Amino acid sequence: MSNEKKLIPLVVIVGPTASGKTKLAVDIAKKFNGEIVSADSMQIYKYMSIGTAKPTIEEMSSVPHYMIDFLEPNEKFSVAKYVSMAKQHIADIHSRNKLPILVGGTGLYINSLIDNIEFAQMQENTPIRDELYKIAEEKGNDYLFDMLKEIDEDICKELHPNNLGRVIRAIEVYKLTGKNMSWHKEHSKMTPSEYKLCMIGLTASDRQKLYDRINNRVSIMVENGLLDEAKNLFSSVYSGTAKQAIGYKELKGYFENEEKLEDCLEKIRMGSRRYAKRQLTWFRKDERINWIQFDLFSNYKEIFDFACETLVKNNII
RNA sequence: GCCUUUGUAGCUCAGUCGGUAGAGCAAUGGAUUGAAAAUCCAUGUGUCGUUGGUUCGAUUCCGACCGAAGGCA
């Protein structure tokens, strides 16, 4: 094995929702001749722009963006697909002598990509899953968990029986590949990352400041036409992954005349706050991240300058 | 003004036939390898409205007062 292969420089900007990732990424791209690869599990969908806080049309036309706006809302997606597509974009950007910038809040996508997780090669197989879900419904979560114990005792130490989706996936992986999840996890980390990273994390030193921004942004989304966007989405086919997006599902009750608008909006704010909390839990443990606490700077320019300095210090540009 | 109901965790409410209390939601922490903006796990001290009385002991019984909702005038 040779380490001669040259690493691709990659700027990574992470952080909870509403922390200002999009703007910072665009400005960095403009300054350093970069292009942006999004790492967001919902911005991949068309027609879901306001609610997922996609970059504006101006932002997207001033800097090339990838992994945004390319899937119909009824199409399923997965980490494995994300990693293989995003990797190609990064390689392509680099081959054109531009600086790739990975930006987003979906921790699983980002870590799978930058840590070079290799997923088992297989097609997704819903008949197996459906059958397992049926077993769980009839005989209970513990029954399925005991099934998993038979084929992968180690993974059971990391999983809770109630985390049905993962228990089922672990069984499915074994049925489709003949190797259990523990085996795949171990073998997925064999090849080292091909990127030279500089990670920047945006957050607030005071959690309430972040929550204020989130709450405020929901009102802005409504002013920008969130309700119409959601209404259109409901009238078309929208399912699977896209259906989980915060900012749309909460409005259903309003359109069906069962809930007040203000109550639905409060649900969106709450859902977003809880999401931000989970994002922080995910990113906090990554010691490679250079954190920028936006509320400790007096204006945006200082944040931008500080971010640029960080990139220079890390020899990324 | 009178009658009835009501005042318990940030919110909605249980409960204690008198021995200082518990659920859901929220909040906080954590997990995260093909649905990840999803999914899952862990964490419950609050003058039981205020104030007197009865009692060994009251949030629980009795009285007064304060607040809320409804009804009658």
Side-chain angles (χ1 to χ4, degrees):
Chain A
M1 235 171 58
S2 87
N3 285 334
E4 301 297 305
K5 199 177 162 193
K6 245 194 135 194
L7 297 177
I8 299 175
L10 180 66
V11 174
V12 183
I13 300 177
V14 301
T17 187
S19 58
K21 300 183 291 294
T22 302
K23 181 170 169 54
L24 182 62
V26 168
D27 290 336
I28 287 177
K30 282 181 185 163
K31 178 158 179 174
F32 298 110
N33 198 24
E35 298 191 357
I36 292 172
V37 178
S38 167
D40 187 295
S41 65
M42 294 302 160
Q43 291 183 1
I44 57 177
Y45 291 107
K46 293 180 191 169
Y47 321 120
M48 297 166 67
S49 301
I50 299 165
T52 65
K54 276 180 201 162
T56 61
I57 295 176
E58 297 80 64
E59 286 171 327
M60 290 209 257
S61 59
S62 65
V63 173
H65 281 70
Y66 305 93
M67 300 305 287
I68 285 185
D69 231 16
F70 65 96
L71 267 189
E72 294 296 322
N74 61 350
E75 291 182 84
K76 277 193 173 179
F77 202 63
S78 70
V79 212
K81 286 181 193 162
Y82 174 80
V83 170
S84 77
M85 291 174 76
K87 267 183 161 176
Q88 286 177 29
H89 284 121
I90 293 171
D92 176 60
I93 293 167
H94 182 245
S95 74
R96 289 184 278 107
N97 290 316
K98 302 260 187 165
L99 177 67
I101 303 170
L102 184 67
V103 187
T106 305
L108 178 67
Y109 285 10
I110 289 168
N111 280 83
S112 300
L113 172 54
I114 65 179
D115 294 328
N116 208 30
I117 301 296
E118 289 180 82
F119 296 93
Q121 280 202 296
M122 60 161 89
Q123 296 298 309
E124 53 182 280
N125 186 311
T126 45
I128 289 183
R129 285 194 197 188
D130 291 347
E131 195 192 321
L132 291 171
Y133 269 112
K134 218 177 138 194
I135 292 174
E137 208 171 295
E138 286 166 2
K139 303 190 174 178
N141 294 353
D142 289 330
Y143 181 88
L144 218 62
F145 195 65
D146 287 339
M147 268 176 72
L148 181 58
K149 273 184 191 159
E150 301 279 311
I151 60 184
D152 193 345
E153 229 186 310
D154 289 338
I155 205 75
C156 285
K157 290 171 191 154
E158 300 171 20
L159 279 182
H160 191 281
N162 290 348
N163 212 340
L164 238 204
R166 291 207 192 129
V167 172
I168 286 175
R169 165 101 264 255
I171 297 172
E172 181 194 39
V173 162
Y174 176 73
K175 292 201 171 191
L176 290 177
T177 67
K179 307 276 190 193
N180 68 25
M181 193 59 144
S182 301
W183 185 92
H184 284 291
K185 281 183 84 161
E186 208 184 311
H187 287 255
S188 67
K189 295 180 195 158
M190 298 304 258
T191 38
S193 175
E194 54 193 294
Y195 306 113
K196 180 189 178 191
L197 301 173
C198 178
M199 298 182 76
I200 289 174
L202 281 167
T203 188
S205 67
D206 174 4
R207 179 80 58 93
Q208 191 53 47
K209 294 265 167 57
L210 213 217
Y211 287 175
D212 290 345
R213 269 166 86 138
I214 289 170
N215 296 340
N216 195 255
R217 189 160 79 166
V218 173
S219 308
I220 293 171
M221 285 176 177
V222 173
E223 282 168 29
N224 289 345
L226 179 65
L227 298 185
D228 285 339
E229 186 173 273
K231 207 172 189 175
N232 288 335
L233 197 60
F234 292 143
S235 66
S236 64
V237 200
Y238 129 95
S239 59
T241 315
K243 215 172 176 175
Q244 302 174 343
I246 297 167
Y248 304 95
K249 57 177 187 265
E250 295 84 357
L251 289 167
K252 255 209 141 95
Y254 170 66
F255 290 121
E256 287 166 4
N257 284 316
E258 285 168 2
E259 282 177 282
K260 286 186 211 153
L261 177 60
E262 189 40 50
D263 291 344
C264 294
L265 295 180
E266 189 47 42
K267 276 193 198 169
I268 294 176
R269 292 186 196 104
M270 187 192 294
S272 302
R273 278 182 246 131
R274 291 168 54 83
Y275 171 46
K277 187 175 98 65
R278 273 176 273 128
Q279 289 176 301
L280 286 169
T281 298
W282 182 288
F283 293 124
R284 238 176 339 216
K285 67 191 170 199
D286 195 330
E287 291 177 356
R288 297 169 292 187
I289 297 173
N290 300 281
W291 287 102
I292 296 178
Q293 298 175 318
F294 63 73
D295 55 329
L296 300 184
F297 291 78
S298 54
N299 57 51
Y300 173 74
K301 191 181 177 303
E302 284 182 18
I303 293 172
F304 176 63
D305 290 344
F306 186 82
C308 293
E309 250 173 64
T310 306
L311 297 184
V312 172
K313 265 190 216 155
N314 283 272
N315 296 316
I316 202 81
I317 35 102

